[in-house]
Amino acid sequence: MAHIFDLDMIQAVYDRYPARVAAARKALGRPLTLTEKILYAHLTEGPATKEHKRGADYVDFAPDRVTMQDATAQMALLQFSTTGRKKVAVPSTVHCDHLIQARVGAKQDLQEALLKGNEVYQFLESISNKYGIGFWRPGAGIIHQVMLENYAFPGGMMIGTDSHTPNGGGLGMLAIGVGGADACDVMSGLPWELKQPKIIGVHLTGKLSGWASAKDVILVVAGILTVKGGTGAILEYFGPGAESLSCTGKGTICNMGAEIGATTSTFGYDDSMRRYLRGTGREEVVKLADAVAEHLTGDPEVYADPKKYFDQVVEIDLNTLEPYINGPYTPDLAWPISKFAAAVKENGWPEKLEVGLIGSCTNSSYEDLTRSASVARQALSKGLKATSEFTVTPGSELVRYTAERDGLLATFEEMGGVVLANACGPCIGQWARHTDDPDRKNSILTSYNRNFAKRNDGNSNTHAFVASPELVTAMAISGHLSFNPLTDTLTNAKGEQVKLDEPTGLEMPPKGFDVKDPGYQEPAADGSKVDVVVKPGSDRLQLLEPFPAWNGKNITGAVLLIKAKGKCTTDHISMAGPWLRYRGHLDNISNNTLIGAINAFNGEANKVKDQQTGEYGEVPATQRTYKAAGLPSVVVADHNYGEGSSREHAAMQPRHLGVLAVLVKSFARIHETNLKKQGMLGLTFDKESDYDKVQEDDRFDFTDLADFAPGKQITVVLRHRDGTSDTIKCNHTYNHHQIEWFRAGSALNLIRKQQG
């Protein structure tokens, strides 16, 4: 507990804060929100010289640290290993939390994961050791909880290869989820690009009481803003209500902000953060933060007149906040508990609650567990037990060990609960659910963050609802969704009518946190002698070969691989699910390339014409024949190509298989950037109607690549089978630096050249 990570880095960040904030205030000519202070304090260029327009300008930032989970770290680190760098440029960590399947309970599930995932864990451990990356072993805990306990600090900026990285906002950070390619850039010392976000202010007044919890704040915000309402924006919570919340409660709110599309969420530095930092052994960080405390929250003028400084303001009175249950199938369908029972009946949702699940990265703090355990304890004293299945997922070994010491886990087990491993488990679909009929419509209630169809158990018939851990516990005791613990009674074993009392919780353990082995492994001081462990012939891991550089010639005679129609997300281009196991093996995972895309010529998925044979086959197999024949190829697609997860596999796989250009009506921004980083041509039709000119047997000639320059159109000749052709103009958004990526064959090739 005594070890404080990266104190010198935190000191350096705080040392530059006063000057950076002063420069930003001068450049903008007005008071600043907390969000603006953190953004402008982390500009790559140094002190601000001008205002960056919200929602318009792309800006380069220098994050303080990088965090990665085991599923996404594999490709990020495989890419990093090709850069020629000896060590990461910023403090970085790997957390093994995604590959542990919840089956029977913590001990057995962890043993099984260690057996099945051993080669992935050995690889991650060795590559972390080689490049100066902190490594958290399987069972150490969920990335975001471990981050909050050890690394997050007020006013910092962090990127993480997981969409719930915003959890770090509970300690006053801007913590943002990104793809592995972005993480690789920052670890390599490159700037990180982000469109200057809009800022939504959430003004909290009053104080939580009774059954209401921090979780209910984000559940009601999701209802107000919807799943798209936070897109391109950062949520900044402020006001007396914000200060009344615990630090881990703030983390819960920021974590689930990902469900409304927010870039991230944050809170200003306050006493709750001081208490949490001290409680987790970081008194030194408190001293440093206190010295610049005025810069670690928004200016008073901003909070006095929020409508003037925020793009939107949401008002929530915690005094009147009811507990909420959100769902099913979407996290923004928000029901106050007083109206939920009626909604269940009206919509015909299965009333019986089959499983209640608490914990995860969203709600697994000591406070969450004490509030839930208080409900369980009083239920036992009143002759009640869980009538639904009930599982508990501690967020970290620190929380689990302390909760076990203080008797919380024993209470859950006595009530009928099962304690799962300190890992993501059912929250990300890593759940071997016990069910006698997968086709039966059923209901589950979780304290997690996501509840889309199939998210938890792969079953589209499962109605998943989201609530606070204490409400989930109460509902699991009752066994049905129409129960309202605020007003209803339950019948105990003696036939008596009993009512549950309001939950009570402790923000911090009275005897302090304790842990025997937190699960952390310090990297070697000098990694030059460390070998990266990849088993020969492995089907899960494959060291990367650099992509070939551009040969300086025009691309001619390129074949059409597929003309995709309609929505084509990163999931259509590189599916997740069972393919997760191949995230570290580029050739194997490439066998899912574009198998979900709909072919515009036949309306079918994964069925395209092989121009060499005239036969129809699967997309990856067809593309492999082109690659073997040395034929470059092109993907043509519709609007917003590559929306969804920022998965870099969706750009790397086509590149690996020999696709050189993607020509679309419009791109999702992150995917367009990922294509550029992998050395591909990402182009848009100058006239959208030119999409209709592309025929099934077309060959493509790119006639002016030698003149590739920012703002200059590229000419493409579509050569049709009947001997006719169409010449079309294509647009691009490449700047000078990105054109160098194309010429070098990838952004990483360019870094390696610079290292040499």
Side-chain angles (χ1 to χ4, degrees):
M1 288 294 297
H3 182 63
I4 300 178
F5 293 95
D6 311 309
L7 197 61
D8 290 348
M9 178 269 282
I10 296 170
Q11 172 83 67
V13 172
Y14 286 157
D15 283 349
R16 65 174 179 259
Y17 243 85
R20 293 281 182 105
V21 170
R25 204 176 273 124
K26 186 180 175 188
L28 275 65
R30 58 169 174 77
L32 303 174
T33 63
L34 166 65
T35 302
E36 287 169 323
K37 289 181 183 181
I38 302 176
L39 289 172
Y40 282 100
H42 287 86
L43 294 176
T44 303
E45 68 193 48
T49 54
K50 61 173 184 182
E51 179 171 5
H52 296 289
K53 293 280 182 288
R54 292 183 198 170
D57 292 350
Y58 288 102
V59 186
D60 283 345
F61 294 101
D64 303 313
R65 69 175 315 114
V66 171
T67 177
M68 296 164 279
Q69 40 93 332
D70 46 0
T72 50
Q74 295 171 57
M75 192 52 73
L77 293 177
L78 284 164
Q79 290 179 86
F80 179 79
S81 69
T82 71
T83 62
R85 281 193 68 100
K86 302 285 185 284
K87 198 173 181 183
V88 287
V90 300
S92 305
T93 52
V94 167
H95 305 259
C96 297
D97 63 359
H98 268 56
L99 304 178
I100 302 168
Q101 188 179 43
R103 199 177 287 272
V104 291
K107 199 170 182 181
Q108 208 171 316
D109 293 346
L110 181 57
Q111 285 309 313
E112 204 166 301
L114 288 169
L115 283 172
K116 282 185 178 174
N118 188 41
E119 63 173 305
V120 172
Y121 295 140
Q122 280 192 329
F123 162 72
L124 290 172
E125 185 178 347
S126 61
I127 201 167
S128 297
N129 201 19
K130 185 171 186 65
Y131 294 117
I133 296 165
F135 180 73
W136 291 81
R137 294 191 295 273
I142 306 173
I143 177 171
H144 314 303
Q145 180 67 24
V146 173
M147 187 54 52
L148 202 68
E149 290 167 359
N150 294 279
Y151 299 106
F153 65 98
M157 177 186 264
M158 172 176 83
I159 61 167
T161 60
D162 189 278
S163 51
H164 294 103
T165 303
N167 196 75
L171 255 176
M173 291 195 95
L174 288 187
I176 301 169
V178 299
D182 282 352
C184 182
D185 283 353
V186 175
M187 289 189 293
S188 305
L190 295 181
W192 174 62
E193 185 194 70
L194 177 72
K195 186 187 274 190
Q196 187 77 359
K198 294 187 173 180
I199 311 174
I200 297 172
V202 184
H203 184 214
L204 303 180
T205 53
K207 194 173 183 181
L208 294 169
S209 62
W211 284 88
S213 71
K215 179 66 161 238
D216 299 305
V217 176
I218 186 58
L219 293 178
V220 80
V221 167
I224 294 166
L225 292 177
T226 77
V227 288
K228 290 181 183 166
T231 304
I234 290 176
L235 271 64
E236 181 174 323
Y237 291 83
F238 67 97
E243 292 184 28
S244 73
L245 297 168
S246 70
C247 178
T248 51
K250 292 176 167 79
T252 292
I253 292 167
C254 294
N255 176 304
M256 205 177 150
E259 306 325 304
I260 55 170
T263 304
T264 191
S265 306
T266 194
F267 284 80
Y269 179 52
D270 63 14
D271 278 338
S272 74
M273 296 183 193
R274 290 183 181 93
R275 291 193 297 273
Y276 189 73
L277 287 166
R278 288 188 178 114
T280 49
R282 290 176 283 175
E283 176 65 46
E284 286 299 309
V285 177
V286 174
K287 286 179 188 164
L288 294 178
D290 281 348
V292 290
E294 67 184 287
H295 304 306
L296 304 179
T297 189
D299 286 336
E301 300 93 327
V302 170
Y303 297 152
D305 189 5
K307 285 189 170 66
K308 189 174 169 186
Y309 299 96
F310 292 106
D311 295 284
Q312 183 181 347
V313 178
V314 176
E315 297 275 352
I316 297 172
D317 179 3
L318 302 185
N319 289 331
T320 59
L321 187 65
E322 263 190 86
Y324 269 71
I325 297 180
N326 287 25
Y329 299 128
T330 182
D332 58 357
L333 192 57
W335 304 98
I337 188 71
S338 57
K339 293 180 181 168
F340 185 63
V344 170
K345 287 186 172 63
E346 280 166 29
N347 291 286
W349 298 326
E351 193 177 331
K352 182 189 175 195
L353 177 61
E354 296 207 1
V355 196
L357 305 98
I358 68 166
S360 88
C361 66
T362 328
N363 277 104
S364 56
S365 65
Y366 187 83
E367 181 181 36
D368 288 328
L369 294 184
T370 56
R371 281 177 67 85
S372 301
S374 80
V375 175
R377 201 174 299 115
Q378 47 154 316
L380 289 166
S381 72
K382 293 176 183 185
L384 299 166
K385 277 196 170 188
T387 54
S388 306
E389 275 189 61
F390 184 63
T391 69
V392 181
T393 305
S396 68
E397 180 57 14
L398 182 75
V399 166
R400 190 212 63 79
Y401 188 93
T402 307
E404 183 178 51
R405 178 200 69 189
D406 294 350
L408 305 179
L409 301 188
T411 299
F412 290 130
E413 286 169 344
E414 192 184 341
M415 188 192 100
V418 174
V419 178
L420 299 174
N422 313 322
C424 301
C427 184
I428 60 159
Q430 284 280 40
W431 184 22
R433 185 176 171 191
H434 317 292
T435 178
D436 52 8
D437 179 9
D439 296 324
R440 180 183 63 243
K441 285 190 174 179
N442 71 94
S443 292
I444 65 172
L445 183 62
T446 81
S447 72
Y448 304 162
N449 41 41
R450 292 210 162 142
N451 65 335
F452 300 111
K454 301 185 181 182
R455 168 76 177 182
N456 305 119
D457 62 0
N459 184 357
S460 58
N461 294 307
T462 296
H463 295 60
F465 298 88
V466 177
S468 68
E470 49 269 52
L471 200 59
V472 173
T473 307
M475 302 298 260
I477 293 163
S478 79
H480 55 90
L481 291 181
S482 54
F483 175 64
N484 180 350
L486 285 71
T487 56
D488 300 348
T489 57
L490 292 168
T491 309
N492 70 8
K494 295 178 185 171
E496 300 162 339
Q497 292 299 299
V498 293
K499 188 168 180 286
L500 293 171
D501 303 322
E502 294 172 350
T504 56
L506 297 165
E507 185 182 308
M508 306 288 278
K511 290 189 269 184
F513 281 109
D514 196 12
V515 67
K516 206 171 186 177
D517 176 8
Y520 175 70
Q521 196 164 304
E522 187 86 29
D526 175 11
S528 59
K529 304 278 192 298
V530 176
D531 290 324
V532 176
V533 181
V534 175
K535 200 169 73 179
S538 168
D539 73 340
R540 294 192 66 173
L541 292 163
Q542 179 188 45
L543 294 175
L544 293 177
E545 292 293 322
F547 292 130
W550 177 53
N551 63 10
K553 298 174 182 172
N554 284 321
I555 299 169
T556 56
V559 292
L560 175 70
L561 173 61
I562 187 171
K563 179 179 174 180
K565 181 177 75 173
K567 195 181 265 288
C568 196
T569 70
T570 48
D571 268 317
H572 292 92
I573 307 165
S574 171
M575 287 182 179
W579 294 92
L580 197 67
R581 63 181 279 108
Y582 298 122
R583 283 277 176 90
H585 197 296
L586 182 56
D587 196 53
N588 281 349
I589 201 168
S590 292
N591 288 325
N592 76 9
T593 304
L594 286 156
I595 62 176
I598 301 300
N599 184 348
F601 298 109
N602 59 18
E604 294 186 54
N606 205 20
K607 190 175 178 184
V608 293
K609 188 175 185 179
D610 185 333
Q611 289 197 30
Q612 296 175 104
T613 64
E615 302 288 319
Y616 282 84
E618 296 178 341
V619 181
T622 304
Q623 178 55 34
R624 285 187 189 276
T625 69
Y626 294 150
K627 184 178 182 180
L631 277 174
S633 61
V634 176
V635 169
V636 172
D638 219 318
H639 276 297
N640 209 23
Y641 180 78
E643 67 176 284
S645 156
S646 58
R647 201 169 300 155
E648 74 269 30
H649 292 79
M652 293 183 79
Q653 291 170 216
R655 174 75 162 114
H656 169 69
L657 292 177
V659 176
L660 291 184
V662 180
L663 178 53
V664 301
K665 290 181 183 176
S666 66
F667 283 108
R669 187 190 73 83
I670 292 176
H671 185 67
E672 182 184 20
T673 302
N674 283 346
L675 290 172
K676 293 176 181 179
K677 284 179 180 171
Q678 302 306 337
M680 293 172 79
L681 280 176
L683 307 174
T684 54
F685 292 104
D686 183 46
K687 292 180 185 160
E688 282 185 14
S689 57
D690 286 344
Y691 169 90
D692 301 321
K693 293 177 180 172
V694 176
Q695 297 174 22
E696 194 167 25
D697 291 295
D698 277 357
R699 297 288 180 116
F700 294 72
D701 292 344
F702 296 77
T703 60
D704 47 12
L705 280 181
D707 303 322
F708 194 6
K712 189 175 188 298
Q713 289 184 322
I714 284 177
T715 308
V716 178
V717 179
L718 306 175
R719 289 197 281 115
H720 309 308
R721 190 165 192 178
D722 63 4
T724 63
S725 66
D726 281 296
T727 300
I728 64 172
K729 293 288 185 184
C730 299
N731 302 323
H732 66 85
T733 60
Y734 288 73
N735 58 32
H736 285 293
H737 194 60
Q738 292 166 342
I739 291 170
E740 288 306 310
W741 294 347
F742 170 74
R743 288 180 175 142
S746 72
L748 296 182
N749 286 358
L750 196 61
I751 297 170
R752 190 170 54 257
K753 219 190 267 182
Q754 289 161 353
Q755 292 295 320

